[in-house]
Amino acid sequence: GKDGYRHYMEKELHEHPLVIGQTLQRMIDPATRKVVLPDMPFDLATVPRAVITACGSAFYAGMVGRYWLEEIARLPVDIDVASEMRYRNPPLTAGSLGLLISQSGETADTLAALRSLREKAIHILSVLNVEHSTMARESDVMLGTVAGPEISVASTKAFTAQLTVLACLTIATARARGKLDPLGEEELVAALMDLPSRAAEVFNQGDAIRRMASIVAEARDVLYLGRGSMFPVAMEGALKLKEISYIHAEAYAAGEMKHGPISLIDRTVPIVASVPSTPLFDKTLSNLQEAKARGGRLLVFTDTKGAERVSAIAEQMVVLPHVHDFVAPILQTIPVQMLAYEVAVSKGTDVDQPRNLAKSVTVE
Ligand code: F6R
């Protein structure tokens, strides 16, 4: 049941801290505090590249994975949504790593992409929540997200669990490729282990998130912005808003806004930005200033370190605990999903069963 929550989605949002913790328990040895992955029939140290493919939210998780794998493990990554990957017939090097991400393990587009990668002698590593799914059976190795059943059609906890697995995979890959020394690994593992408690603190921000929601609920169009690993977080926020509140939303890389969408900005198009204090903080803030100068209303997710500078320009802000840059996209996802939920509730939509959508999309 819903355990007293109004919707499954609300219940599942509150499971973020638990699910991140359970997923970490599966992947980090408590004694050595090192990432331990199952045996793989290929070597992460020598795969020439990775190709990531998935659909919807799982694809956005993959985009964060690309930032991590390229930046930390120095592994070149190619990424596309499954329905495109399959037909664009990219030239792939046999022996590359195919990284497939899916909550259900049954999504037809992702499964078709898996099979076409397999035909090209790509090793298949799947990140799946349903461990006895078709994709699990057809993969060389599976990394499980320990999110438990997700009932709400809109994905929430499965997404942060996917990010948690991808973060651990990045650490293991970086170590195997000689890009991460023991101290570096210790630092990243500590950042991950810190997450469940920090994630629990996000729920103290309910009032601030509802104030933002009351502005978003009045809008016809909303622009979501983020840079670096926060760009896919913006995309996840925009998708969730579209899915359950039926408000049009679009995500843009914050630096790209001035190349077009800035002409949309006025008081009727609120701007939701995810701007924790990472090395991209200053650049993102100046993009927001450009939007504000054109009459944009800024609704900003930041952290305790960024709050003072954000408060100077934002109409509403949500302040999260400050965490290591590496894990910031995981933490920042939670309030962005909560915002979509609160907007949907205030609009009175069928939150758990949005129109035209099914939990598992088994047609191509
Ligand atoms: C987003 C959502 C969809 C799914 C997508 C992939 O809230 O629910 O975009 O993420 O259909 O589904 P899986 O992960 O089952 O392959």
Side-chain angles (χ1 to χ4, degrees):
K2 296 179 201 158
D3 295 350
Y5 290 106
R6 292 167 291 176
H7 302 94
Y8 281 106
M9 185 175 176
E10 186 180 36
K11 176 184 171 205
E12 290 165 4
L13 280 165
H14 280 80
E15 287 171 353
H16 275 301
L18 178 78
V19 156
I20 295 167
Q22 284 173 352
T23 302
L24 288 174
Q25 255 175 37
R26 172 90 64 97
M27 311 199 80
I28 294 173
D29 177 337
T32 61
R33 289 171 66 99
K34 288 202 167 298
V35 173
V36 181
L37 299 184
D39 285 337
M40 299 191 185
F42 51 86
D43 190 353
L44 288 172
T46 55
V47 290
R49 331 178 39 91
V51 35
I52 302 182
T53 193
C55 306
S57 284
F59 170 70
Y60 302 142
M63 282 185 70
V64 177
R66 173 180 62 168
Y67 279 98
W68 285 334
L69 284 167
E70 292 199 330
E71 195 174 312
I72 301 168
R74 310 307 300 159
L75 178 66
V77 176
D78 183 27
I79 180 165
D80 211 342
V81 290
S83 55
E84 289 295 318
M85 175 66 78
R86 201 172 147 218
Y87 295 105
R88 97 185 145 80
N89 192 22
L92 297 169
T93 314
S96 291
L97 174 68
L99 192 49
L100 286 288
I101 308 164
S102 175
Q103 189 284 127
S104 62
E106 301 296 341
T107 300
D109 286 320
T110 312
L111 184 59
L114 182 157
R115 288 172 178 162
S116 75
L117 290 175
R118 191 169 255 292
E119 272 167 26
K120 294 179 177 153
I122 303 299
H123 303 298
I124 306 294
L125 189 164
S126 297
V127 178
L128 305 173
N129 197 42
V130 180
E131 299 194 3
H132 299 284
S133 52
T134 309
M135 288 178 63
R137 282 196 300 279
E138 299 194 16
S139 300
D140 295 313
V141 60
M142 195 226 15
L143 298 179
T145 48
V146 196
E150 196 178 61
I151 310 283
S152 155
V153 164
S155 185
T156 54
K157 59 178 179 167
F159 181 82
T160 50
Q162 285 159 356
L163 292 181
T164 304
V165 168
L166 292 169
C168 291
L169 177 66
T170 299
I171 292 173
T173 307
R175 184 209 303 137
R177 301 172 83 79
K179 305 297 178 196
L180 195 64
D181 59 22
L183 267 178
E185 176 160 358
E186 209 176 290
E187 179 184 327
L188 299 185
V189 166
L192 283 167
M193 307 269 274
D194 183 42
L195 263 182
S197 340
R198 300 291 82 77
E201 291 169 32
V202 175
F203 299 98
N204 301 335
Q205 294 299 313
D207 288 341
I209 292 169
R210 279 184 287 275
R211 281 197 293 277
M212 267 191 190
S214 68
I215 295 171
V216 171
E218 298 299 316
R220 206 190 62 175
D221 308 283
V222 182
L223 198 57
Y224 280 71
L225 300 177
R227 281 181 97 115
S229 63
M230 235 44 73
F231 173 40
V233 172
M235 296 175 102
E236 164 66 2
L239 176 66
K240 220 105 293 180
L241 188 74
K242 280 181 276 208
E243 276 188 295
I244 60 172
S245 77
Y246 315 143
I247 295 173
H248 169 242
E250 201 176 347
Y252 251 84
E256 185 67 6
M257 182 191 60
K258 56 186 172 302
H259 301 290
I262 196 162
S263 69
L264 286 172
I265 290 172
D266 63 21
R267 281 198 61 76
T268 68
V269 184
I271 295 162
V272 176
S274 297
V275 203
S277 54
T278 67
L280 295 170
F281 182 78
D282 288 330
K283 278 261 159 67
T284 316
L285 220 58
S286 64
N287 300 138
L288 294 186
Q289 252 138 3
E290 291 157 15
K292 187 182 168 78
R294 284 149 187 96
R297 302 175 72 178
L298 303 181
L299 315 178
V300 185
F301 295 100
T302 186
D303 58 24
T304 46
K305 256 174 108 174
E308 194 177 315
R309 291 187 50 210
V310 167
S311 71
I313 58 167
E315 177 173 337
Q316 293 288 336
M317 70 173 180
V318 170
V319 181
L320 303 192
H322 175 255
V323 293
H324 194 293
D325 298 345
F326 175 50
V327 300
I330 307 181
L331 193 72
Q332 291 282 336
T333 292
I334 301 172
V336 161
Q337 293 176 340
M338 287 167 71
L339 174 65
Y341 174 75
E342 293 296 346
V343 173
V345 167
S346 81
K347 297 203 84 165
T349 62
D350 191 351
V351 174
D352 286 333
Q353 294 284 335
R355 67 188 183 201
N356 309 340
L357 285 169
K359 183 65 184 160
S360 161
V361 184
T362 52
V363 290
E364 288 182 52

